Amino acid sequence: MNGLESIATAPMWAGFIAFVLVMLALDLFVFGGNKAHKVGVKEAATWSLVWVSLALLFNGGLWWYLNGTAGPEIANQKALEFFSGYLIEKALSVDNVFVFLLIFSAFQVPIQYQRRVLIYGVLGAIVMRAVMIMAGAWVVSEFSWVLYLFGAFLLVTGMRMLVAADAEPDVANNPVLRFARRHLRVADGDHGERFFVAKGGLRYVTPLFLVLILIEVTDLVFAVDSIPAIFAITTDPFIVFTSNLFAIMGLRALYFLLVDVADRFHMLKYGLAMVLVFIGAKMLIMPWYHVPVEASLLVVAVLIVASCVASVFITRSDKK
């Protein structure tokens, strides 16, 4: 990590990466992640609680380590940065849930097969985000003015989200999907949870593989928003990386937790759009005023909670 300012040592990086690999292996081979089954609300809630608890335990451990090695001031600052980054990424990942739901609905993917698509989607997302975070951290360390470009991008993106919050993406005419259909042999019909099948000595991809491609592309698009948003909180690559990955690893459980109630939180998109507008504005005014991390955390939390409450209130009013 030469040239990048980080509180992490090489063993800390190695330890966290090992932790991620162990958790993914346990999910795949011990807890049934590679077996097709319908994920119920109880299972999704349990795993969501596990991932949130692990993130908080990690943050506590990070604070304890830094308190003993770097002092309480740095420990408090880094722990707050991690929590703020985790909250922002967790909130923005809810938007992924809405789009994932649209993709699975458009392809009529049975819920028992969605878990396998999402677990491979998470694996791909981890690799993509690791590359993007490391590249972003290096660029910021070499060209600090890039943060203002990030801010302008988030501000514009948030305003566009506000305008088009109720618009649903046209999954069927997605350019990535059209490209894949032109260049890949696609086997029509239901092939269970398989991504590839053999016909007449040739290998075909299944519609489920096309769904996986769309899931990966969707996460890449959202990463372009969420990663700059965390750089507004901290430029420490270790904090950015760990907070981002904890949120991503809990994304699958969050999806199954919200899949049946996603339509009740229709106002949340407006809240997330305002979060991006706030963070973009925060980055643009940095030369004149530095918004404390505590204030950023409070504003983000208020926007998210307010949009959730508004969703419930408006839904009840509509029913009446």
Side-chain angles (χ1 to χ4, degrees):
M1 303 302 299
N2 294 333
L4 299 178
E5 294 183 4
S6 177
I7 47 88
T9 61
M12 290 172 67
W13 280 98
F16 181 74
I17 293 172
F19 163 77
V20 171
L21 294 176
V22 168
M23 288 304 297
L24 291 174
L26 287 174
D27 195 1
L28 269 172
F29 304 111
V30 178
F31 298 117
N34 61 341
K35 296 179 181 178
H37 71 281
K38 181 179 179 179
V39 179
V41 174
K42 183 178 179 181
E43 180 182 349
T46 301
W47 271 106
S48 292
L49 182 61
V50 167
W51 285 117
V52 172
S53 300
L54 286 173
L56 296 178
L57 284 172
F58 172 84
N59 201 22
L62 180 66
W63 179 90
W64 177 82
Y65 170 77
L66 292 176
N67 188 58
T69 58
E73 185 177 349
I74 292 179
N76 293 338
Q77 179 69 18
K78 293 300 178 180
L80 189 59
E81 288 176 0
F82 174 90
F83 185 72
S84 300
Y86 177 70
L87 177 63
I88 289 172
E89 179 60 33
K90 196 74 173 175
L92 294 177
S93 67
V94 175
D95 215 13
N96 292 42
V97 170
F98 292 117
V99 179
F100 291 170
L101 184 58
L102 285 174
I103 293 173
F104 286 134
S105 299
F107 280 82
Q108 298 180 335
V109 178
I111 195 166
Q112 63 267 28
Y113 300 148
Q114 294 176 11
R115 179 181 171 91
R116 187 164 189 257
V117 175
L118 289 175
I119 198 166
Y120 282 100
V122 167
L123 289 172
I126 289 174
V127 174
M128 286 190 298
R129 294 195 178 214
V131 173
M132 292 176 69
I133 289 170
M134 294 303 106
W138 179 84
V139 170
V140 169
S141 69
E142 296 293 323
F143 311 101
S144 58
W145 50 265
V146 169
L147 285 173
Y148 303 119
L149 293 182
F150 284 174
F153 172 76
L154 292 176
L155 184 64
V156 172
T157 301
M159 294 175 70
R160 288 178 60 187
M161 282 179 63
L162 279 173
V163 173
D166 292 327
E168 294 187 354
D170 188 357
V171 177
N173 293 317
N174 185 283
V176 175
L177 183 59
R178 293 203 305 268
F179 178 85
R181 287 191 180 279
R182 284 199 304 266
H183 294 84
L184 297 174
R185 289 188 292 266
V186 181
D188 295 325
D190 183 9
H191 300 278
E193 61 176 352
R194 288 184 292 176
F195 293 133
F196 304 97
V197 293
K199 287 186 176 182
L202 297 175
R203 183 176 290 272
Y204 287 75
V205 301
T206 65
L208 199 64
F209 184 76
L210 298 181
V211 172
L212 177 61
I213 292 176
L214 284 179
I215 293 292
E216 295 287 11
V217 172
T218 297
D219 184 76
L220 179 62
V221 171
F222 281 111
V224 173
D225 294 337
S226 63
I227 292 176
I230 296 184
F231 275 110
I233 302 298
T234 178
T235 55
D236 187 321
F238 186 72
I239 301 298
V240 176
F241 184 71
T242 52
S243 59
N244 206 286
L245 257 63
F246 266 114
I248 286 300
M249 289 189 292
L251 177 60
R252 189 175 69 260
L254 181 66
Y255 168 81
F256 287 110
L257 187 63
L258 298 179
V259 65
D260 292 328
V261 295
D263 58 329
R264 299 182 189 177
F265 294 98
H266 55 284
M267 297 298 294
L268 186 57
K269 290 187 177 182
Y270 292 96
L272 298 177
M274 287 187 284
V275 167
L276 291 181
V277 170
F278 165 72
I279 294 173
K282 171 183 182 294
M283 298 176 81
L284 290 176
I285 65 173
M286 279 193 301
W288 302 278
Y289 179 72
H290 175 71
V291 180
V293 178
E294 296 91 335
S296 299
L297 179 60
L298 179 62
V299 171
V300 170
V302 168
L303 288 173
I304 295 169
V305 172
S307 59
C308 290
V309 172
S311 297
V312 175
F313 177 78
I314 292 175
T315 300
R316 288 178 177 174
S317 299
D318 290 344
K319 286 181 179 179
K320 291 179 182 180

